[in-house]
Amino acid sequence: MSRLLLSLKLPVFRNRLTRPCMAVSSIGMRFLRFVIAFFLLPAIAAEALSIYSLMPSMLTLSFPYLSKEMLAVIGGYCLLILFFFFIPIPISIYVFGHELTHAVWGFLTGSKVGRIHISSNGGYCTVSDPGMFTTLAPYFVPFYLVVLLLIKVIAGIWLPLEDYALWWLVGVGVTYGFHFVYTVKMLVEVEQPDVREYGHFFSYTLIVLFNLLILGAGLVFITGTSFLDFGAKLLESLAVSYCYCFNQILSGVVWLWKVLVNLI
């Protein structure tokens, strides 16, 4: 059984911890992934519309015009930003979460997990036959937010946590902000082998798609909106988005046909 090295490259040592050469995907498979990613773009727009529909449940009529739950989350996010710029968080903390996400996802999908290496210079995780989601999971799964959720669930069995609800939401803002800021930093500053494996367009499309889905689910939970209502809105937005794109493509094809007919 083959073993692949899922690695995280950091901008400070760009030539270290690279992934071994792997079989190049066929042109047909790359084209198929491109087509799939292209047809997923309207779904991203639909997710954005559904998240936007949650805005009324985040707002209040009086200053500061945001619910206390949203203020707590935003406060946590701002706290993370302050640390990011003024008190840099050791990059090994991000590397730990990144590589452990590879390992956990690989284990849950039946792969064998080998050595995990974590340092301030980067990291890697050896996984047998990793699938697409094992490879890309660290870019859309907020590892430390999941850890925080597990801690809350376990602690809630023995301790009354209702009085600390806003502090928990501050933690949500910090951990999700950590995921968002450092994921963008890693993707922007250096090309990642994980992303290159499935092609940039396809990988980035999936990363955005699942990040928005997780963000939407989180906002539904924070605002107290019904998941059924959000699901119905998402389905409606999907239908609107795909119908709009289909009509635009059809109009383009008709216009092109008329141009060709006139030329002939």
Side-chain angles (χ1 to χ4, degrees):
M1 185 178 292
S2 62
R3 284 186 176 272
L4 301 183
L5 196 66
L6 301 176
S7 64
L8 173 69
K9 292 178 68 180
L10 298 180
V12 283
F13 292 102
R14 295 192 179 213
N15 295 323
R16 300 188 64 181
L17 300 175
T18 56
R19 176 183 247 169
C21 291
M22 303 174 67
V24 179
S25 299
S26 66
I27 295 176
M29 183 58 70
R30 288 184 178 273
F31 177 73
L32 177 61
R33 288 177 185 148
F34 179 88
V35 172
I36 292 172
F38 179 79
F39 280 101
L40 284 175
L41 293 179
I44 292 177
E47 286 179 330
L49 288 172
S50 300
I51 292 173
Y52 179 77
S53 70
L54 295 173
M55 285 294 293
S57 57
M58 304 179 200
L59 303 176
T60 61
L61 297 176
S62 58
F63 183 83
Y65 306 111
L66 285 171
S67 66
K68 58 184 181 181
E69 290 81 9
M70 285 306 303
L71 285 174
V73 173
I74 294 171
Y77 182 83
C78 292
L79 184 62
L80 184 279
I81 295 296
L82 288 175
F83 271 92
F84 180 78
F85 284 108
F86 300 106
I87 311 176
I89 301 171
I91 194 65
S92 56
I93 295 177
Y94 174 79
V95 176
F96 175 81
H98 183 103
E99 301 306 337
L100 209 57
T101 303
H102 280 311
V104 172
W105 202 280
F107 175 77
L108 293 176
T109 54
S111 298
K112 292 184 178 180
V113 179
R115 184 184 179 191
I116 300 174
H117 173 75
I118 297 163
S119 74
S120 59
N121 298 332
Y124 61 80
C125 175
T126 306
V127 180
S128 66
D129 300 323
M132 175 181 65
F133 288 107
T134 300
T135 303
L136 298 178
Y139 302 101
F140 60 80
V141 175
F143 176 81
Y144 290 105
L145 176 55
V146 174
V147 172
L148 182 65
L149 280 168
L150 290 175
I151 292 173
K152 182 178 184 292
V153 170
I154 295 172
I157 297 174
W158 296 283
L159 302 173
L161 301 178
E162 292 79 7
D163 294 338
Y164 304 97
L166 292 182
W167 287 107
W168 133 255
L169 290 175
V170 170
V172 169
V174 170
T175 51
Y176 188 81
F178 182 85
H179 162 74
F180 177 79
V181 170
Y182 278 88
T183 297
V184 172
K185 176 182 172 65
M186 293 299 108
L187 290 174
V188 168
E189 292 189 352
V190 61
E191 182 181 11
Q192 296 298 331
D194 298 332
V195 173
R196 187 173 63 241
E197 172 65 20
Y198 289 96
H200 292 82
F201 182 49
F202 180 79
S203 297
Y204 283 130
T205 300
L206 286 186
I207 289 169
V208 173
L209 184 76
F210 285 110
N211 269 293
L212 285 177
L213 189 61
I214 291 172
L215 176 61
L219 289 174
V220 168
F221 179 78
I222 292 168
T223 59
T225 306
S226 167
F227 277 96
L228 290 177
D229 290 343
F230 180 74
K233 182 62 180 179
L234 180 58
L235 289 175
E236 179 187 345
S237 298
L238 284 169
V240 170
S241 184
Y242 276 101
C243 285
Y244 175 80
C245 292
F246 176 77
N247 288 333
Q248 292 300 112
I249 293 172
L250 186 61
S251 298
V253 170
V254 171
W255 176 83
L256 183 60
W257 174 257
K258 291 180 179 179
V259 170
L260 291 176
V261 168
N262 291 332
L263 289 176
I264 295 173

